[in-house]
């Protein structure tokens, strides 16, 4: 079952487990309530930070918490092999800090990202295989689950295939989704596809205000 109480902390990309706001007293206070610490990551960079994740998982688990990650599985780096192999399965976005007019004689800036079109069924197996490898790697580092952000980005069919593949391989990973931007029917479809729970801030809202 998912954690009964999930506390969410957001860190900048350069944040590390040694940051002052994540000291042992903070972890102990959260652990006394029971729940999980959610850490935002890029699926494609996490393996480069194995030592960081292993240390973080050890500290979190020692405090009696689960370690979850928050990730957008649809965001691929431009240099990912799948982007070159099946470009029609991605929406490519390029960024530049240069405010000068674009010169058509020069190549576009190389920085940016590729957003996977998960609802294209003909590419589902390729996406599932790639994502399953990434999530399995995170699980091996001590991660208990993933909050998919935004939940509307992943299709129920892909999530169902991904969860089935992970559980067949023995990878026990929980999946959470946030309800932002999704109607009730879409949320129910994610639940039937294998999403373990929804997470929101309603618990802290004063709905009578």
């Amino acid at each position: 079952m998912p954690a009964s109480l999930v506390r969410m902390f957001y860190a900048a990309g350069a944040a590390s487990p040694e940051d002052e706001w994540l000291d042992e007293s903070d972890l102990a206070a959260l652990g006394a309530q029971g729940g999980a610490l959610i850490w935002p990551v890029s699926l494609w960079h996490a393996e480069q930070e194995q030592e960081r994740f292993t240390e973080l998982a050890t500290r979190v688990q020692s405090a009696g918490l689960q370690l979850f990650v928050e990730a957008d599985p649809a965001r691929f780096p431009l240099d990912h092999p799948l982007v070159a192999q099946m470009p029609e399965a991605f929406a490519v976005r390029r960024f530049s800090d240069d405010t000068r007019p674009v010169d058509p004689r020069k190549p576009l800036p190389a920085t940016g990202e590729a957003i996977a079109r998960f609802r294209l069924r003909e590419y589902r197996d390729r996406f599932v295989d790639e994502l399953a490898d990434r999530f399995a790697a995170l699980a091996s580092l001590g991660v208990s689950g993933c909050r998919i952000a935004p939940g509307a980005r992943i299709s129920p069919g892909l999530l169902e295939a991904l969860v089935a593949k992970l559980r067949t391989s023995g990878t026990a990973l929980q999946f959470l989704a946030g309800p932002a931007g999704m109607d009730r029917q879409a949320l129910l479809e994610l639940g039937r596809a294998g999403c373990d729970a929804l997470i929101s801030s309603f618990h802290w809202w004063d709905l009578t205000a």
Side-chain angles (χ1 to χ4, degrees):
M1 293 294 291
S4 58
L5 175 64
V6 178
R7 297 295 302 274
M8 301 178 67
F9 289 86
Y10 292 90
S16 69
E18 295 81 16
D19 283 348
E20 293 181 1
W21 58 265
L22 193 60
D23 62 25
E24 301 309 320
S25 61
D26 293 330
L27 289 175
L30 291 173
Q33 301 178 57
L37 177 67
I38 299 183
W39 192 271
V41 300
S42 164
L43 288 181
W44 317 108
H45 299 147
E47 287 186 59
Q48 302 170 11
E49 303 175 341
Q50 292 188 20
E51 183 176 347
R52 170 193 180 189
F53 269 92
T54 301
E55 178 184 352
L56 180 62
T58 299
R59 295 177 62 202
V60 170
Q61 292 164 3
S62 296
L65 296 165
Q66 296 181 72
L67 175 61
F68 279 63
V69 295
E70 179 183 81
D72 182 350
R75 292 179 181 270
F76 283 64
L78 288 179
D79 59 356
H80 191 282
L82 288 186
V83 178
Q85 294 168 15
M86 45 189 204
E88 61 278 7
F90 294 89
V92 174
R93 299 175 179 175
R94 298 181 185 275
F95 310 105
S96 175
D97 295 329
D98 193 341
T99 58
R100 294 174 296 180
V102 174
D103 186 342
R105 298 168 299 178
K106 298 180 180 179
L108 291 173
T111 57
E113 62 185 3
I115 305 299
R117 295 183 168 122
F118 282 150
R119 297 183 186 277
L120 296 178
R121 295 187 178 183
E122 58 267 37
Y123 302 109
R124 181 172 295 168
D125 290 345
R126 297 289 301 278
F127 282 135
V128 167
D129 289 344
E130 185 67 28
L131 292 174
D133 288 343
R134 294 291 173 165
F135 281 118
L138 284 174
S140 71
L141 298 177
V143 173
S144 298
C146 175
R147 178 182 187 264
I148 301 170
R153 187 92 81 179
I154 193 165
S155 68
L158 186 142
L159 178 61
E160 184 175 15
L162 174 60
V163 170
K165 185 176 182 67
L166 286 170
R167 291 178 180 168
T168 298
S169 67
T171 302
L173 207 63
Q174 299 176 45
F175 285 93
L176 311 177
M182 303 181 70
D183 59 28
R184 177 177 173 78
Q185 184 59 37
L187 294 171
L188 290 175
E189 289 177 359
L190 278 185
R192 288 191 289 267
C195 185
D196 295 282
L198 297 177
I199 181 171
S200 77
S201 59
F202 286 168
H203 177 79
W204 290 274
W205 286 17
D206 179 0
L207 299 180
T208 64

